[in-house]
Amino acid sequence: MTDRLLIRPATAEDAAAIWSIIAPIIRAGETYTLDRALSEADALAYWLGSDRETFVAEEDGRILGTYYLRANQAGGGAHVANCGYMTDMRATGRGIARRMAEHSLEQARARGFRAMQFNFVVSTNERAIRLWQSLGFDIVGRLPRAFHHPSQGDVDALVMFRML
Amino acid sequence: MTDRLLIRPATAEDAAAIWSIIAPIIRAGETYTLDRALSEADALAYWLGSDRETFVAEEDGRILGTYYLRANQAGGGAHVANCGYMTDMRATGRGIARRMAEHSLEQARARGFRAMQFNFVVSTNERAIRLWQSLGFDIVGRLPRAFHHPSQGDVDALVMFRML
C-alpha cells in the first residue's frame, strides 16, 4: 500500500486535512506536549509555523500523515534538526510514520543538518520509541515524570538523538 | 555585597539595562543557543516574551542580572518549569546567578511547578554546571556535539533536571 505514498510539502490547501489528522492526537493528549484544548487556528499556526517546513504523506489523494522539520535550536545549536510526526489514527500500523521519518532524515541531510533530536518522546509511546531506535536514534536523556499522561499519570519522557 | 541584591519582576523600563546584560552574552555565542546577530528588539522580545515571567536582580539601583521563568512545555509537560539566567559579565563570581537560581526555584514552586529542566547547558560552561549541581540538578541527558562553540568547535550539551 505505502508504495503509493507521496510525501510532499504541505500547502495552505492541506490545512483541513492536516487538522483532521492532528486534532484527535492533540485532543487525546497522550503523545505531544500541546494544550489538549488548542484551537484549530492555533494548532495549524503551530504545525505550519514559519519556523519550520511541513510535509504531508498522501495516498491516492488522501492525506494520511504529516510532519514538520525545523532547527531544534538557533545559534550554536542550529545544526541539529527536530521533527514532529502525526499519522492519521485510522491508518496506523501501515508504515506511514516510518516512511515520513525516513523522508525527514533525507530532507534534514539535504539541508545541511548534522544531527536530529527529539526533545520529548513520552515513555509510554512504545511504538514510537521502537521506530526511532530502528532508525538509528539513541535514548540520550530521560526526564523523570516530566509528562502527565491523561490515563497513566506522571511518566518519564525521553530525549532521542542521532547523527546524520 | 549580594545581601543588598533585590530580585523583582522586570518592567518595560528595565529593557535598556537588560539589553546591556544580555547583548554581550548573546554576541559571544558561547552559552545560549540564540542567534549571535539577534537584534536588540528581537532579543528583548524573546527575553521578555509573553510566555514567560522575567525578573531582574538589582543592587543599589543597578541591574546586575536577569532571568526568565516559564513552562518548559505545554499540555502534559506544563508542570515542569524552565529558566534562563544571565549575569552582567562585569559582575560574575559574586553569587548573583546563585541568588537568581534560588529565587527562581522558589517562584517556580509558588506557581505550582513540580520540577525544573534546563534543556541545553553547554558542556564547556563548567561554572554553570557546578552551580546547577550544587542546587540539586542532575544531568539527565547528554546531547552529543549538539553545540557549535565559537572557539572550541562542536561540544556536547547537557539536559539538567530537578524535582521541586
Side-chain angles (χ1 to χ4, degrees):
Chain A
M1 301 269 267
T2 53
D3 52 1
R4 299 201 312 275
L5 202 70
L6 168 73
I7 302 180
R8 59 163 177 83
T11 69
E13 287 69 46
D14 299 318
I18 291 172
W19 174 241
S20 76
I21 291 172
I22 70 177
I25 297 169
I26 294 171
R27 297 287 179 257
E30 296 179 347
T31 50
Y32 275 78
T33 55
L34 294 169
D35 180 354
R36 294 175 69 181
L38 208 59
S39 71
E40 177 175 351
D42 287 347
L44 289 171
Y46 172 79
W47 200 260
L48 295 159
S50 60
D51 64 334
R52 66 197 73 196
E53 290 182 84
T54 307
F55 296 84
V56 291
E58 186 176 58
E59 185 184 65
D60 301 336
R62 186 177 156 222
I63 292 175
L64 298 178
T66 178
Y67 83 88
Y68 64 74
L69 167 66
R70 61 179 173 183
N72 197 44
Q73 302 282 350
H79 61 287
V80 181
N82 169 251
C83 290
Y85 312 83
M86 292 195 190
T87 301
D88 188 326
M89 281 178 149
R90 294 161 297 188
T92 54
R94 290 184 41 201
I96 294 164
R98 174 178 294 274
R99 287 284 301 279
M100 291 195 292
E102 289 167 345
H103 188 270
S104 71
L105 291 166
E106 287 164 22
Q107 296 290 315
R109 275 189 208 101
R111 281 155 185 73
F113 288 110
R114 294 190 278 119
M116 189 178 288
Q117 180 176 333
F118 301 143
N119 300 303
F120 205 100
V121 183
V122 178
S123 59
T124 50
N125 193 0
E126 294 172 11
R127 176 185 288 182
I129 294 165
R130 279 197 303 273
L131 175 58
W132 307 146
Q133 288 180 318
S134 78
L135 288 166
F137 284 83
D138 293 320
I139 296 170
V140 298
R142 178 175 285 267
L143 313 172
R145 302 170 69 83
F147 187 72
H148 186 76
H149 188 286
S151 63
Q152 301 191 54
D154 291 348
V155 299
D156 294 351
L158 307 179
V159 183
M160 301 189 73
F161 195 97
R162 68 158 284 178
M163 300 295 178
L164 295 180
Chain B
M1 301 268 265
T2 52
D3 52 359
R4 301 201 311 276
L5 202 70
L6 167 72
I7 301 179
R8 60 164 176 81
T11 70
E13 287 69 46
D14 299 317
I18 291 173
W19 175 239
S20 76
I21 291 171
I22 70 176
I25 297 170
I26 293 171
R27 297 285 180 258
E30 295 178 346
T31 49
Y32 275 78
T33 55
L34 294 169
D35 179 355
R36 295 174 70 181
L38 207 60
S39 71
E40 177 174 352
D42 287 347
L44 290 171
Y46 172 79
W47 201 260
L48 296 159
S50 60
D51 63 333
R52 65 196 74 194
E53 289 182 83
T54 307
F55 296 84
V56 291
E58 187 177 55
E59 185 185 65
D60 301 335
R62 185 175 156 227
I63 291 175
L64 299 178
T66 178
Y67 83 87
Y68 64 75
L69 168 66
R70 62 179 171 182
N72 198 42
Q73 301 283 351
H79 61 286
V80 180
N82 169 252
C83 291
Y85 312 82
M86 291 194 190
T87 301
D88 189 326
M89 281 179 149
R90 296 161 297 188
T92 54
R94 290 183 43 201
I96 294 165
R98 175 179 294 275
R99 287 285 300 278
M100 290 196 291
E102 289 166 346
H103 188 270
S104 70
L105 291 167
E106 288 165 20
Q107 296 290 316
R109 276 187 208 100
R111 281 154 185 74
F113 287 109
R114 294 190 278 122
M116 189 177 290
Q117 179 175 333
F118 302 143
N119 300 303
F120 205 100
V121 183
V122 178
S123 59
T124 51
N125 193 0
E126 293 173 10
R127 176 185 287 181
I129 295 166
R130 279 197 302 273
L131 175 57
W132 306 146
Q133 288 179 319
S134 78
L135 288 166
F137 284 83
D138 293 319
I139 296 170
V140 298
R142 178 175 285 266
L143 312 173
R145 302 169 70 82
F147 187 71
H148 186 77
H149 189 285
S151 63
Q152 302 190 52
D154 290 348
V155 299
D156 294 352
L158 307 179
V159 183
M160 301 190 72
F161 196 97
R162 68 158 284 178
M163 300 293 177
L164 295 179

